[in-house]
Amino acid sequence: MYGRNKGTPWWQEAFVLTRAVFGILFWPLAAIVGVMIAIGGLFVAFDTGVGWGLLALAIIAAIIAVYAWWDRRQPPRV
């Protein structure tokens, strides 16, 4: 068959490299965006009232506590 010695096309290599980079950076970027959204929501909650702000702060603290509890229950990584 013809074209066996050509190798992979450039766009396929670019796609594989892009997918690898986004696969590595997805969770850190998702965490940064989530923290920015939480801080923005906290500002909006405190702007509407102190009670709403404290409620939002309590929800954020509960989410962090649940994550810490879940992480402690995971088996140690090798």
Side-chain angles (χ1 to χ4, degrees), residues 12-68:
Q12 193 172 12
E13 291 179 10
F15 178 72
V16 169
L17 290 174
T18 304
R19 184 174 177 195
V21 168
F22 281 133
I24 292 169
L25 294 178
F26 176 75
W27 290 113
L29 287 175
I32 290 170
V33 169
V35 166
M36 289 173 52
I37 290 172
I39 290 172
L42 197 59
F43 276 115
V44 169
F46 270 111
D47 191 41
T48 58
V50 176
W52 289 110
L54 292 176
L55 179 65
L57 199 58
I59 290 171
I60 292 171
I63 289 171
I64 292 171
V66 166
Y67 175 73

